[in-house]
Structure formats: structure tokens, C-alpha cells
Amino acid sequence: VQLQASGGGLVQPGGSLRLSCVASGFSLDDYTIGWFRQAPGKEREGVSSISRSGGRKFYTVSVKGRFTISRDNTENTVYLQMNSLKPEDTAVYYCATYNGSPILSTWNLGYLYDYWGQGTQVTVSS
């Protein structure tokens, strides 16, 4: 059972990246998937979450309107499209599975998530 996040890199402010979260050994469509990030010296932060069907999505306030979460269950992959990137988006990004349905008050609580992938570094800098 493995969860792998990829797609990070170095990008200039205003640029875009698309992160992918791919599962092997199990089906992602059995889970809510969350994206989290952690910047140096800061606590881990919930970025976005998507329900099993993809019908319910949540975003932290700082990324609303810039980031879009989506999933392709046929590809066993969840994506995080990040546009208009800012230096404050610099962090290691992780995806994780949650065996429940996300709701507004708890979708970003990391302890609810079970499997965590290795992170991918996103650096926004000129």
C-alpha cells in the first residue's frame, strides 16, 4: 500500500503547478483525499480535501480561487492544480486518505487521515 505525491518544483510567483497523488495497492475512490502542506518552522496546514465522489470539495481560505482539487478514480489519482502561486505557498505538500466524509468543520484535521504519502516540495521564488 503506497501513496505518492509528485509534481512539485521551483516556480516563479504567478506561475502554476499541478500536483498528483497516486495510490498503489488500494483504490483511492474508497477514500476522501486531503492535501496538506508544511513550511519550514510552521505547523502542518490543511490545503484542500475532496470527497469520494468528488462532489464535495474544501479549501483553506488562502488558496480559494487559486487552487483546484479534482480526482480521476479511473486513474486512481487525485490532483491539485495550483495557479497564481505566491511565495507563501512554498512548502512540502502531502496527500493523505480519510476513511470518512469531509465536512466543513473537520476536513482539515490531520489526525483524521490515515495513510500519508511522501511529500513533494513546492518552492515559489523569483
Side-chain angles (χ1 to χ4, degrees):
V1 173
Q2 190 174 9
L3 202 60
Q4 180 64 53
S6 63
L10 173 63
V11 64
Q12 292 186 342
S16 298
L17 286 173
R18 188 177 78 159
L19 304 185
S20 298
C21 176
V22 180
S24 57
F26 67 100
S27 294
L28 274 185
D29 58 6
D30 290 335
Y31 297 92
T32 287
I33 302 299
W35 283 100
F36 293 78
R37 65 186 179 187
Q38 188 165 22
K42 294 188 176 181
E43 292 188 356
R44 185 178 60 196
E45 173 189 29
V47 176
S48 184
S49 183
I50 187 169
S51 61
R52 292 181 181 89
S53 68
R56 191 176 298 174
K57 303 175 184 180
F58 298 92
Y59 299 93
T60 193
V61 170
S62 63
V63 308
K64 277 185 179 179
R66 300 189 297 121
F67 291 11
T68 303
I69 193 170
S70 62
R71 66 191 302 158
D72 184 342
N73 288 337
T74 64
E75 296 292 330
N76 220 23
T77 303
V78 171
Y79 301 100
L80 186 68
Q81 178 67 43
M82 306 188 297
N83 299 329
S84 302
L85 282 161
K86 304 176 180 180
E88 50 264 44
D89 295 318
T90 295
V92 178
Y93 284 71
Y94 302 87
C95 58
T97 64
Y98 169 39
N99 189 20
S101 296
I103 60 174
L104 183 61
S105 58
T106 62
W107 70 266
N108 58 342
L109 298 178
Y111 67 81
L112 294 177
Y113 291 76
D114 304 306
Y115 294 124
W116 290 76
Q118 289 186 331
T120 185
Q121 175 72 48
V122 172
T123 303
V124 185
S125 174
S126 55

